[in-house]
Amino acid sequence: MIPKGFRVIKPEIRVLGVDDGIFELRSGGFATVVGVVFRGGYWLDGVMHTRIKVDGFDAGEKIAGMILGSSHFKQLRVVMLNGVTFAGFNVVDIKKLNEATCLPMIAVIRDRPDEESIREALKNLPKSGERWKAMRGGGKMYAVQARAGAAKVYVQVAGISLEDATKILRLTSTRSNMPEALRVAHIIASGLTAT
Amino acid sequence: MIPKGFRVIKPEIRVLGVDDGIFELRSGGFATVVGVVFRGGYWLDGVMHTRIKVDGFDAGEKIAGMILGSSHFKQLRVVMLNGVTFAGFNVVDIKKLNEATCLPMIAVIRDRPDEESIREALKNLPKSGERWKAMRGGGKMYAVQARAGAAKVYVQVAGISLEDATKILRLTSTRSNMPEALRVAHIIASGLTAT
């Protein structure tokens, strides 16, 4: 999909932030994924959830279903993911997720990933080539200064230009160097899955 | 407990908002209760949860345990509850919860409860007298204008004066006539328990 240009980015743009909760590593079980709807960087408007298989291959499909089935879908303008791997190495191909939902995707992580150790970890999992391909499918990773004076974040985009993605990250990173929808999705997902 | 006066109410006062999620009525099952930590009326700082029995008698004890066991406990200055009944008629005695946690309690609801129909509903449950006593234990209910121009809310307090409670409600009802911690606790609890 050719990036859809934003003519204007409204301060109250509806953003979905997606993160996973706590799960048992290599358990073959399930992990909860939480989606948090924010108006820009300030107001929480909704919460949705789904469950995906630890180290499975259903993250993209399940997250697409969660988004498309949500009552907030029509208001959403952009989706932010906490990276492209969920519940271990259940990898989301952000290009496919962009196509499936017709929504621009911005994958954001705090630390630049160490490709070497990811490749090593993948070796222990079935279909490691497929997972690697999905991770690379997210395209080039850019360092972005989302918040003045804070550490840069690392970003991959699909269906949106890096320029527009940067504007949206700046607008919505109101409390830390991560966009508020992702900061809060992390707190909710981990707060509700901790025992 | 004699109400502890607040010398100053800081704009970033740490507030816990407690609400329950969706559950099957009269199921004898369990319902999730979510606690959301807010700094004043703007920033979500944490999420905690517990599970209570539908129409049971463990809400007070479980919520006390959730609060006392939380890493946010020491920062909390006040607890807000969405009313005093959770998971059906699992009633919280806010005086006892105040004593158990040493934190002031403010129970807030949008609509004045209809005592007649509550009494009727209680008749179908065991130990209805005990439940009624716990509900009345919350003391007098006051109508409070928490947000200029918005509808009043109905408030019971324990361990805090109505005057201080009103100040805190005004400070934290930043988005609607309910304090933000309770508005968001409701969204999270229902968004994560809906199927």
Side-chain angles (χ1 to χ4, degrees):
Chain A
M1 188 177 158
I2 294 161
K4 187 166 63 173
F6 281 81
R7 275 176 307 174
V8 185
I9 294 163
K10 294 184 189 164
E12 298 228 327
I13 181 174
R14 297 306 194 283
V15 173
L16 183 74
V18 180
D19 201 357
D20 54 6
I22 295 160
F23 57 91
E24 213 178 317
L25 275 171
R26 312 287 168 264
S27 63
F30 289 84
T32 297
V33 169
V34 169
V36 176
V37 182
F38 252 80
R39 297 201 189 197
Y42 290 99
W43 304 111
L44 189 152
D45 256 15
V47 170
M48 55 188 83
H49 72 289
T50 187
R51 278 168 78 73
I52 66 173
K53 216 163 164 357
V54 173
D55 293 326
F57 288 90
D58 59 352
E61 189 191 323
K62 289 290 183 62
I63 292 171
M66 173 180 83
I67 294 170
L68 295 168
S70 158
S71 60
H72 296 274
F73 174 58
K74 285 189 179 166
Q75 275 75 51
L76 294 175
R77 293 294 167 266
V78 61
V79 175
M80 295 175 175
L81 305 169
N82 189 357
V84 298
T85 56
F86 292 82
F89 280 103
N90 198 333
V91 184
V92 173
D93 184 322
I94 58 172
K95 281 206 186 72
K96 285 187 188 163
L97 193 53
N98 165 235
E99 280 159 19
T101 61
C102 294
L103 285 169
M105 295 288 147
I106 312 177
V108 191
I109 48 175
R110 273 217 160 88
D111 303 300
R112 186 188 283 280
D114 173 1
E115 290 210 352
E116 194 88 355
S117 49
I118 291 171
R119 270 186 178 282
E120 274 307 308
L122 281 180
K123 277 183 190 163
N124 303 317
L125 289 170
K127 302 190 194 170
S128 59
E130 196 176 312
R131 296 177 206 264
W132 182 250
K133 207 180 130 201
M135 289 180 76
R136 300 303 298 247
K140 214 186 147 187
M141 186 167 285
Y142 304 90
V144 170
Q145 185 87 39
R147 189 178 160 88
K152 287 183 178 182
V153 292
Y154 298 90
V155 174
Q156 290 171 289
V157 292
I160 183 171
S161 69
L162 181 65
E163 197 190 337
D164 281 345
T166 302
K167 280 184 199 163
I168 292 171
L169 290 172
R170 288 193 178 147
L171 181 73
T172 58
S173 300
T174 45
R175 173 85 193 272
S176 70
N177 67 339
M178 288 291 269
E180 193 61 3
L182 282 180
R183 188 186 71 83
V184 167
H186 178 74
I187 292 175
I188 294 175
S190 37
L192 287 171
T193 50
T195 47
Chain B
M1 188 177 160
I2 294 160
K4 188 166 66 176
F6 281 83
R7 273 175 309 174
V8 185
I9 294 164
K10 295 184 189 164
E12 299 228 326
I13 182 175
R14 296 308 193 283
V15 172
L16 182 73
V18 180
D19 201 357
D20 54 5
I22 295 161
F23 56 90
E24 214 179 316
L25 275 172
R26 314 284 169 262
S27 63
F30 289 84
T32 297
V33 169
V34 169
V36 175
V37 182
F38 252 81
R39 297 201 189 197
Y42 291 100
W43 305 112
L44 188 153
D45 256 15
V47 170
M48 55 189 81
H49 73 288
T50 187
R51 278 167 78 72
I52 66 173
K53 216 161 163 0
V54 173
D55 293 325
F57 288 89
D58 59 352
E61 190 193 322
K62 290 292 183 62
I63 292 171
M66 173 180 85
I67 294 170
L68 294 167
S70 158
S71 59
H72 297 274
F73 174 59
K74 286 189 179 166
Q75 275 76 50
L76 294 176
R77 293 294 167 266
V78 60
V79 175
M80 294 175 177
L81 306 170
N82 189 358
V84 298
T85 56
F86 293 82
F89 280 103
N90 198 332
V91 184
V92 173
D93 183 324
I94 59 172
K95 282 207 182 75
K96 285 188 187 161
L97 193 53
N98 165 236
E99 280 158 19
T101 61
C102 295
L103 285 169
M105 296 288 147
I106 311 176
V108 190
I109 48 174
R110 273 217 161 87
D111 303 300
R112 186 189 283 279
D114 173 0
E115 290 209 352
E116 194 88 354
S117 50
I118 291 171
R119 270 185 177 283
E120 273 307 308
L122 281 179
K123 279 183 191 163
N124 304 316
L125 289 169
K127 301 191 196 170
S128 59
E130 197 176 313
R131 295 176 206 264
W132 182 250
K133 206 180 130 201
M135 289 179 76
R136 300 301 299 247
K140 215 188 146 188
M141 186 167 285
Y142 304 90
V144 171
Q145 185 86 40
R147 187 177 162 87
K152 287 184 177 180
V153 293
Y154 297 90
V155 174
Q156 290 170 291
V157 293
I160 183 171
S161 68
L162 181 64
E163 196 191 336
D164 281 345
T166 302
K167 279 184 198 162
I168 293 171
L169 289 173
R170 287 193 178 145
L171 182 73
T172 59
S173 300
T174 45
R175 174 82 194 274
S176 70
N177 66 338
M178 288 290 271
E180 192 62 3
L182 281 182
R183 190 186 69 84
V184 167
H186 178 75
I187 292 174
I188 295 175
S190 38
L192 287 171
T193 49
T195 47

